[in-house]
């Protein structure tokens, strides 16, 4: 089966600019996650979707970050305006349903550098 | 909230050596998963192990939920084992929290 697709692979922007990341999960996976991984740290959950509804966005900086999952399939994560501290790898993951027991499949990530 | 600690933070092994990685968590968890992040950044599931012991080839894992820790054993390490090993736990509210990871380098 095809994996989780993410684009772009790399992005360099200046602070205060906007940026968007795209994720296409594995077909049929109901749950989609966006994680932020800062260099040297473990991934931190930003937002979790169940189909096209938001389950958890408690750690999403909503003043600058937004995310949507269209028709319960593809998802986009946007940052506007970007700050230097947003430099990180943004990982998308999907699973058949909520919970670690279903197994996560991660995409390759988008490495964002804010200068 | 729940705290997840991993030790050691860094580990360098000669090829063929064995190692034990540890994950401690501060509260009861429903689920626990070990992941491997390879040097190119790809995260791969290793073990789903909320309790008990599992083995897959040279890797095995044990979780003692009552004592709030999990161990990942790597035997006869190979250079392809290099990368960062994360444990992730989920609470009763299904919120998943990753530990800070153990960075492993296996040298030939």
């Amino acid at each position: 089966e095809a994996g989780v697709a993410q684009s772009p692979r790399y992005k360099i922007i200046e602070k205060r600019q906007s940026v968007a990341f795209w994720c296409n999960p594995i077909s049929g996976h109901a749950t989609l996650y966006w994680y932020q991984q800062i260099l040297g740290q473990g991934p931190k959950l930003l937002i979790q979707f169940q189909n096209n509804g938001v389950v958890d966005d408690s750690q999403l900086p909503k003043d600058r970050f937004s995310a949507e999952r269209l028709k319960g399939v593809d998802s986009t994560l946007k940052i506007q305006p970007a700050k230097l501290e947003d430099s990180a790898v943004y990982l998308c993951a999907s699973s058949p349903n909520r919970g670690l027991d279903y197994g996560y499949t991660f995409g390759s990530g988008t490495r964002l550098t804010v200068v | 909230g729940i705290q997840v600690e991993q030790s050691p933070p860094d580990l360098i092994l000669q090829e063929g050596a064995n190692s034990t990685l540890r994950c401690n968590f501060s509260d009861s968890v429903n689920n626990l998963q070990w992941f491997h992040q390879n040097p190119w950044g790809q995260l791969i599931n290793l073990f789903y192990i909320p309790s008990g012991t599992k083995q897959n080839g040279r890797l095995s894992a044990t979780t003692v939920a009552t004592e709030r820790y999990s161990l990942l054993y790597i035997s006869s390490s190979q250079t392809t084992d290099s990368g960062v090993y994360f444990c992730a736990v989920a609470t009763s509210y299904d919120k998943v929290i990753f530990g800070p990871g153990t960075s492993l380098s296996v040298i030939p």
Side-chain angles (χ1 to χ4, degrees):
Chain A
E1 72 184 351
V4 175
Q6 288 190 248
S7 66
R9 192 76 173 91
Y10 305 93
K11 191 73 176 179
I12 301 175
I13 62 172
E14 296 183 348
K15 59 184 179 183
R16 292 187 290 274
Q17 284 187 325
S18 63
V19 64
F21 312 127
W22 174 81
C23 173
N24 183 249
I26 291 176
S27 176
H29 278 196
T31 313
L32 186 147
Y33 312 83
W34 282 103
Y35 282 86
Q36 179 192 58
Q37 187 176 21
I38 292 172
L39 187 64
Q41 299 181 16
K44 183 184 84 171
L45 180 68
L46 292 176
I47 190 166
Q48 177 180 344
F49 291 94
Q50 183 71 8
N51 296 308
N52 60 351
V54 175
V55 173
D56 183 353
D57 63 356
S58 58
Q59 298 189 97
L60 186 74
K62 298 180 186 65
D63 58 334
R64 298 184 300 106
F65 286 65
S66 65
E68 61 180 1
R69 188 179 185 193
L70 302 173
K71 299 180 181 178
V73 183
D74 291 10
S75 178
T76 56
L77 177 70
K78 297 179 182 178
I79 307 175
Q80 182 179 12
K83 294 184 175 181
L84 296 177
E85 58 260 37
D86 298 332
S87 294
V89 175
Y90 290 84
L91 294 162
C92 179
S94 71
S95 66
N97 212 328
R98 294 174 65 181
L100 282 172
D101 49 332
Y102 284 92
Y104 280 28
T105 302
F106 279 89
S108 299
T110 295
R111 183 177 298 276
L112 174 67
T113 302
V114 183
V115 298
Chain B
I2 191 168
Q3 303 296 315
V4 182
E5 299 176 345
Q6 291 187 244
S7 60
D10 300 282
L11 187 58
I12 300 175
L13 294 176
Q14 198 78 35
E15 199 169 23
N18 303 327
S19 63
T20 301
L21 282 57
R22 186 176 182 103
C23 172
N24 292 332
F25 38 97
S26 61
D27 205 347
S28 299
V29 299
N30 283 357
N31 294 313
L32 187 145
Q33 176 88 35
W34 282 96
F35 292 88
H36 175 225
Q37 188 166 41
N38 66 24
W40 297 270
Q42 185 68 46
L43 272 157
I44 304 293
N45 298 296
L46 291 178
F47 294 102
Y48 169 70
I49 185 163
S51 64
T53 299
K54 288 186 177 179
Q55 181 160 4
N56 184 3
R58 296 180 297 103
L59 273 60
S60 63
T62 294
T63 297
V64 184
T66 53
E67 297 186 22
R68 300 178 184 171
Y69 73 88
S70 183
L71 302 174
L72 179 68
Y73 306 96
I74 304 174
S75 64
S76 304
S77 58
Q78 300 177 358
T79 55
T80 51
D81 296 330
S82 296
V84 183
Y85 290 82
F86 293 102
C87 70
V89 301
T91 66
S92 57
Y93 294 101
D94 217 20
K95 181 181 283 290
V96 176
I97 299 170
F98 279 73
T102 291
S103 178
L104 174 65
S105 296
V106 181
I107 54 177

